[in-house]
Amino acid sequence: MNDDDMSPVFGRVLSAMITPMTPDGSGVDYAQAARLAAHLVDDLGHDGLVVNGTTGESPTTTDEEKRALLDAVVTAVGDRASIVAGVGTFSTRHTVELARQAASVGVDGLLVVTPYYSRPPLDSLEAHFVEVADSTDLPVMLYDIPHRTGTAIPEEMLIALSAHPNIRAVKDAKGDVASSSIVMANSELAYYAGDDAMLLPLLSVGGVGVVGTSTHFTGLAVRDIVEHFLAGRTEEAIMANRHVLPAFKGVFATQGAMMVKATLTLRGFDVGPCRSPLGRVHEGVAERFAELLENLGFSA
């Protein structure tokens, strides 16, 4: 875990880490997960990882696979990076169970997404977050991603929830910098960009970092953006952002987890396929992204 008291509780550069699978997708490859986690932390400048998030294919992994994956990653890098466990589901009871399971493994925090599909009314939504936050002593990052969940977390609710001692941060994929600015101005919530390309705009209004996807390849460059900005080197931050922007966008030329897995495979990481309903990247798509990364200087 990050021990720098001046850093946000979860660090500044995190990836929503993919979950390596066995070649036929039937199992999780925990050895490859440990290898990938070490690569992200030791080679690509991460000070945190989100495990069992959507990019980690959490809808298709079992609770036992989630527990074992967390254990593998905590064992591999937990002494030098914050490990945040994705535990959010559309069931409050199940989310609490996953939160307690993650706490028992020794993670550093929890990522809790807005309940999806069922779209609870606002009072029930707030109660959901409070019950999950009450279930352990771990710091919580709320995940606000209305284009996937169907429900945005209102500004007033985020500000109210910030009074809970365990609710410490937001993974912001709302795409509304003005709204995020209002929450930051009225709370102490640490805001992380949930969309790689929103990192610099969010930093400019008080954000602290990113939970990225392209960061599986661009982590060092993303750290440069953050460090330039925090040091007051605004022009350098802008130029660094412009350099990496094609990768921020290119990783989503197809579904993010699919693209990351296919590109990592090209680079010698045996991370296996995605589980259905996610599939395989069409021929040439990952190769073009890998070539883009090489041209930008993000070598394997």
Side-chain angles (χ1 to χ4, degrees):
M1 184 173 181
N2 193 309
D3 293 323
D4 184 351
D5 292 337
M6 298 303 292
S7 293
V9 62
F10 301 117
R12 295 194 181 275
V13 178
L14 299 85
S15 274
M17 197 180 93
I18 59 99
T19 297
M21 302 288 183
T22 55
D24 64 358
S26 64
V28 173
D29 189 332
Y30 303 108
Q32 278 293 326
R35 179 190 173 205
L36 178 60
H39 171 64
L40 293 173
V41 172
D42 299 333
D43 301 329
L44 292 186
H46 287 58
D47 45 14
L49 299 171
V50 171
V51 180
N52 292 328
T54 309
T55 305
E57 300 179 73
S58 59
T60 63
T61 56
T62 68
D63 289 2
E64 177 54 30
E65 287 174 331
K66 289 177 172 64
R67 186 207 63 76
L69 180 62
L70 288 171
D71 187 52
V73 174
V74 168
T75 300
V77 300
D79 60 337
R80 54 195 187 277
S82 297
I83 309 304
V84 180
V87 299
T89 73
F90 55 18
S91 161
T92 302
R93 177 182 294 180
H94 191 199
T95 302
V96 166
E97 290 171 355
L98 290 176
R100 290 173 175 162
Q101 172 178 272
S104 73
V105 175
V107 303
D108 300 299
L110 306 173
L111 178 70
V112 182
V113 72
T114 312
Y116 40 88
Y117 191 74
S118 52
R119 302 181 64 187
L122 293 183
D123 57 342
S124 298
L125 176 60
E126 185 168 5
H128 169 85
F129 287 134
V130 169
E131 185 171 345
V132 177
D134 283 343
S135 68
T136 79
D137 293 328
L138 291 172
V140 170
M141 179 188 295
L142 302 179
Y143 189 5
D144 192 8
I145 183 165
H147 67 275
R148 290 199 180 194
T149 64
T151 304
I153 309 175
E155 295 162 12
E156 297 81 3
M157 186 183 298
L158 287 164
I159 294 166
L161 288 169
S162 72
H164 193 292
N166 291 344
I167 297 177
R168 305 282 295 280
V170 177
K171 181 182 177 185
D172 181 22
K174 188 179 286 182
D176 186 343
V177 174
S179 178
S180 302
S181 301
I182 291 169
V183 177
M184 283 184 270
N186 291 279
S187 75
E188 295 185 359
L189 290 171
Y191 260 66
Y192 291 81
D195 178 345
D196 304 30
M198 290 298 290
L199 169 60
L200 186 56
L202 203 63
L203 287 172
S204 74
V205 294
V208 302
V210 64
V211 178
T213 305
S214 78
T215 41
H216 283 84
F217 313 101
T218 63
L220 291 174
V222 168
R223 178 161 291 282
D224 284 345
I225 294 170
V226 174
E227 292 182 350
H228 282 314
F229 184 86
L230 294 177
R233 299 187 294 268
T234 307
E235 288 297 324
E236 289 89 340
I238 291 171
M239 295 308 296
N241 183 71
R242 288 177 179 172
H243 177 73
V244 76
L245 190 59
F248 286 167
K249 305 302 287 186
V251 76
F252 295 113
T254 186
Q255 200 276 342
M258 290 167 53
M259 180 69 94
V260 171
K261 278 195 165 181
T263 308
L264 284 170
T265 298
L266 291 174
R267 292 185 160 203
F269 284 86
D270 297 324
V271 295
C274 290
R275 284 181 176 169
S276 180
L278 298 183
R280 295 185 181 272
V281 175
H282 292 308
E283 185 176 355
V285 174
E287 287 80 2
R288 286 192 292 274
F289 182 59
E291 183 179 3
L292 170 67
L293 292 173
E294 289 289 334
N295 290 339
L296 293 173
F298 306 129
S299 56

